Amino acid sequence: MKRERYNLPVAVFVLLRKAQRICMLKRTGTGWMDGCYSLPAGGLEQHETLAAAAREANEETGVVIAPEDLHLAHTLHVWTENRSWMGHFFCCTRWQGEPFIAEPEKHGDLCWHAIDDLPENTIGYVKQAIEQIAAGQPYSEYGW
């Protein structure tokens, strides 16, 4: 008999950091959490590793990140919209290019915020993960 395991969707997030400031994007025109700030992020696609964070950062901000420059900072187990998923948050301090809005159909603003002074309209689980990263905590749960 084949053993079946529960499969969780996986998302990756990137904190592009310049000292104590991080790059954030404001969601626009997506139909989900529009008007809220998040990080460059997205879901893992089939046959990808967590290094997909570099792809997501490139797609959303145009920067090029070498996978070895991604440093896992936090794992978040989330319950939203009646389902669970895992989010892996990576810090990155070295990349090529200057971040810009590379997907204008999905983002209306790109700005740098102090890691300890996030916009009030930051997505809740993103805010929690960033606060946990600032506190040095490698894992937390949201929405349970």
Side-chain angles (χ1 to χ4, degrees), residues 14-24 63 91-100 110-116:
V14 180
L15 285 80
L16 297 174
R17 289 188 72 159
K18 289 183 180 179
Q20 292 303 309
R21 299 179 71 74
I22 58 173
C23 180
M24 299 189 77
V63 299
C91 287
C92 181
T93 59
R94 186 170 49 191
W95 60 84
Q96 294 178 10
E98 188 61 33
F100 67 95
L110 181 149
C111 52
W112 293 86
H113 283 277
I115 198 165
D116 61 353

Side-chain angles (χ1 to χ4, degrees), residues 43-139:
L44 228 59
E45 296 176 3
Q46 189 172 7
H47 305 295
E48 281 188 310
T49 68
L50 294 179
R55 173 187 56 78
E56 287 292 348
N58 177 259
E59 288 176 1
E60 296 189 0
T61 68
V63 299
V64 176
I65 300 172
E68 61 269 17
D69 289 329
L70 291 168
H71 303 282
L72 183 60
H74 192 73
T75 295
L76 183 67
H77 193 183
V78 182
W79 181 267
T80 56
E81 300 177 336
N82 206 29
R83 67 182 182 97
S84 66
W85 54 276
M86 298 296 290
H88 300 282
F89 290 74
F90 292 86
C91 287
C92 181
T93 59
R94 186 170 49 191
W95 60 84
Q96 294 178 10
E98 188 61 33
F100 67 95
I101 298 173
E103 294 180 317
E105 69 282 4
K106 295 181 180 179
H107 303 111
D109 185 31
L110 181 149
C111 52
W112 293 86
H113 283 277
I115 198 165
D116 61 353
D117 187 24
L118 301 176
E120 188 174 309
N121 54 336
T122 299
I123 294 173
Y125 56 81
V126 171
K127 182 177 182 180
Q128 177 179 308
I130 293 169
E131 290 170 346
Q132 294 294 302
I133 290 166
Q137 296 299 315
Y139 174 81

